[in-house]
Amino acid sequence: MQRRLSHEPSSLEELKKLAEAAGYTVVAEIEQLREPDARYQIGAGKVEELARLVKETAAEKIIFDNTLRTVQAYNLAKATGVEAIDRFKLILEIFTKRATTTEAKLQIQLATLQYELAHAKERVRLAKLKEQPGFMGLGAYEADVYYEAVKRQVHTIQRKLRKIREKRFLHRERRTELGFSTISLAGYTNAGKSSLFNALTEETTNVGNALFTTLSTTTRLVEVSKRKFLLTDTVGFIDRLPLTLIEAFHSTLEETIYSDLIILVLDLSEPIETIEKKNNICLETIDHIGATGIPIITALNKIDLLTDAEAKQKLDALKDKTKNPILVSALHRINLEQIKKAILEKLEDYVQASLSVPLTPQTMPLVSWVHEKADVKKANFMNDSVELIFEAKPLFAEKVKKRVEALNGKFEQFYKPQ
């Protein structure tokens, strides 16, 4: 069900996909063009039509694309005899079904409780009037007691998430010490991020033709032209992703914030207007989470579903509206080399340095460390010393310099690789 103004686009198709992703079978769709109604969100006449349709189809739930105030959900349930939920609660249901890690489950619990906290007093008041679908089980609580109980649960979960966040911070610090650049895959849900992740890492993570297949981050080491990077698959974006959910998933989205590069994945098989809209939503979300300024490569995915002419036509139309677009098919591994080339170009801050250290018991561990964590271009082993020329991130090169100097070695001023 959607109520919209005449100039607003319809979102029923996406709402249907969301409902199916949550496990529902959609038996009917209704749309109304009008200003919002304070009591029901839709007009009173449309509510009567909705009630008849619920009875005819034996529907068990009504799903609104619009945000429902607590009293509106209550009035709709009273008028139709079934629970009415909005887009936010539907997305929460999907997240709850898809969550597999402890962190994702805690984040969803937090978002659910924060939503409950904002509506608790009104829900208790309405529940005491008369039980309606979706409002059962609250009548026994006093509003203030229930409110405080939810607040305590929120604080408990926030404390647990802080501990996980601290652990994630330590992991990120460790990766920085190792000298790896980090790349995050971002994009609208179901654009093919996980498929591209699998193609680039040659692994198999969960891939599905449904919204929000990925809710937790997965990070793997990838090698491009002898340079190693950490690639992370993240939760997908969606239009009007509730602020509460963005905040709840902040620790997961942090992987994007601290990336050196973002690969933004879009589904090129969709209509141009849809691609442009989703691209804007993704860029706005990236900006909202604080990742503005990070270089972006746009992977225009699923070209296997288009002819060469169609793909080129869409690329031409999107060239000025997307950042560094590249045509790819993650499923069929098409143009992955172009993606890799673009990665190297965007992360060309690698520096080249040379070192010379005398042979001591500490020399070989240093040499092994540099070989493991950097791209060694040349190595000379002499009777009394070792010389290396390598490429690495500036931060790692600086760490090497300190260790070389501690061994009374020489570290030449590093410069950009040719």
Side-chain angles (χ1 to χ4, degrees):
M1 176 78 216
Q2 181 186 18
R3 182 216 50 78
R4 63 183 177 91
L5 302 178
S6 57
H7 66 275
E8 294 174 334
S10 175
S11 301
L12 277 181
E13 185 58 33
E14 183 168 88
L15 185 67
K16 182 180 178 181
K17 288 180 180 177
L18 285 168
E20 289 169 348
Y24 294 107
T25 300
V26 178
V27 294
E29 300 173 20
I30 298 181
E31 195 170 50
Q32 185 177 37
L33 301 178
R34 60 156 289 161
E35 295 287 338
D37 177 80
R39 289 188 65 199
Y40 298 107
Q41 178 66 233
I42 54 177
K46 189 62 72 173
V47 172
E48 292 178 6
E49 179 187 335
L50 184 59
R52 288 195 298 271
L53 192 59
V54 166
K55 191 173 181 180
E56 290 168 6
T57 59
E60 299 175 354
K61 190 170 288 190
I62 302 166
I63 302 173
F64 269 74
D65 189 66
N66 313 86
T67 299
L68 293 177
R69 291 190 292 111
T70 304
V71 68
Q72 290 173 332
Y74 177 85
N75 289 336
L76 286 163
K78 186 176 179 181
T80 63
V82 296
E83 183 182 4
I85 66 171
D86 58 15
R87 181 188 177 92
F88 176 83
K89 294 200 75 174
L90 178 62
I91 292 175
L92 266 185
E93 286 188 19
I94 299 169
F95 278 28
T96 302
K97 285 177 180 288
R98 299 281 167 81
T100 54
T101 66
T102 300
E103 182 180 17
K105 289 175 181 176
L106 285 172
Q107 287 170 328
I108 292 157
Q109 287 177 35
L110 178 61
T112 304
L113 288 169
Q114 286 175 329
Y115 176 88
E116 193 64 33
L117 202 58
H119 301 84
K121 292 182 179 180
E122 182 68 2
R123 283 175 62 85
V124 170
R125 184 186 71 80
L126 292 170
K128 285 182 176 180
L129 295 178
K130 187 178 180 182
E131 287 190 350
Q132 298 296 336
F135 288 82
M136 286 82 81
L138 293 176
Y141 295 93
E142 290 297 330
D144 54 345
V145 174
Y146 180 69
Y147 186 81
E148 289 303 317
V150 175
K151 274 180 69 176
R152 283 195 298 273
Q153 287 179 282
V154 166
H155 291 151
T156 299
I157 291 173
Q158 286 176 331
R159 189 166 58 250
K160 290 178 179 178
L161 283 171
R162 273 196 298 273
K163 289 182 179 178
I164 293 174
R165 192 173 179 180
E166 288 167 5
K167 186 177 180 182
R168 188 188 295 278
F169 174 78
L170 292 174
H171 286 169
R172 195 158 51 238
E173 286 281 289
R174 176 62 175 157
R175 295 202 298 258
T176 301
E177 288 176 8
L178 294 174
F180 295 130
S181 294
T182 57
I183 304 166
S184 284
L185 286 172
Y188 209 85
T189 182
N190 203 33
K193 290 186 296 83
S194 295
S195 294
L196 185 57
F197 179 87
N198 290 342
L200 291 171
T201 61
E202 298 182 355
E203 289 202 12
T204 304
T205 58
N206 188 23
V207 176
N209 188 27
L211 305 186
F212 300 116
T213 302
T214 302
L215 287 185
S216 305
T217 59
T218 304
T219 301
R220 294 290 183 271
L221 190 68
V222 296
E223 189 171 307
V224 181
S225 296
K226 296 184 179 180
R227 285 180 56 182
K228 294 176 181 177
F229 304 95
L230 286 168
L231 182 67
T232 298
D233 191 12
T234 61
V235 62
F237 303 145
I238 195 168
D239 189 17
R240 290 172 286 147
L241 183 65
L243 184 61
T244 311
L245 279 177
I246 293 176
E247 290 172 349
F249 274 80
H250 191 269
S251 56
T252 302
L253 294 170
E254 267 187 351
E255 294 300 308
T256 304
I257 299 170
Y258 292 104
S259 296
D260 297 297
L261 174 69
I262 296 171
I263 299 178
L264 179 60
V265 186
L266 297 174
D267 182 351
L268 195 66
S269 69
E270 296 182 311
I272 281 288
E273 297 77 14
T274 303
I275 299 169
E276 289 179 4
K277 178 185 175 183
K278 290 184 176 181
N279 179 57
N280 291 335
I281 290 165
C282 291
L283 293 177
E284 286 168 8
T285 306
I286 287 170
D287 180 59
H288 181 82
I289 64 177
T292 307
I294 297 172
I296 294 176
I297 296 169
T298 305
L300 300 175
N301 192 27
K302 304 187 183 181
I303 60 170
D304 53 289
L305 300 178
L306 303 169
T307 65
D308 290 346
E310 288 171 335
K312 185 180 183 305
Q313 183 181 15
K314 286 189 173 182
L315 175 62
D316 290 340
L318 293 167
K319 266 185 178 176
D320 297 329
K321 297 172 182 177
T322 55
K323 298 186 178 183
N324 306 300
I326 298 174
L327 297 173
V328 299
S329 169
L331 184 64
H332 295 283
R333 311 296 204 259
I334 299 172
N335 290 347
L336 292 189
E337 289 306 314
Q338 287 190 32
I339 290 284
K340 292 175 181 179
K341 181 181 177 183
I343 289 172
L344 292 174
E345 289 174 353
K346 290 296 177 184
L347 297 177
E348 63 179 359
D349 65 335
Y350 262 40
V351 294
Q352 195 173 79
S354 66
L355 64 87
S356 175
V357 288
L359 276 175
T360 69
Q362 290 79 36
T363 301
M364 291 317 295
L366 168 65
V367 171
S368 297
W369 179 55
V370 175
H371 266 279
E372 183 182 354
K373 307 304 179 189
D375 182 10
V376 176
K377 298 296 184 183
K378 188 176 181 181
N380 290 329
F381 293 86
M382 288 159 287
N383 292 333
D384 58 353
S385 65
V386 177
E387 294 178 352
L388 296 180
I389 296 176
F390 67 93
E391 291 178 5
K393 290 194 71 176
L395 184 62
F396 181 74
E398 191 63 30
K399 291 179 184 295
V400 175
K401 181 182 178 183
K402 290 178 181 178
R403 287 184 62 171
V404 168
E405 290 174 347
L407 294 174
N408 296 317
K410 293 181 181 179
F411 188 94
E412 294 294 329
Q413 182 176 359
F414 45 85
Y415 51 89
K416 288 285 183 181
Q418 298 301 311

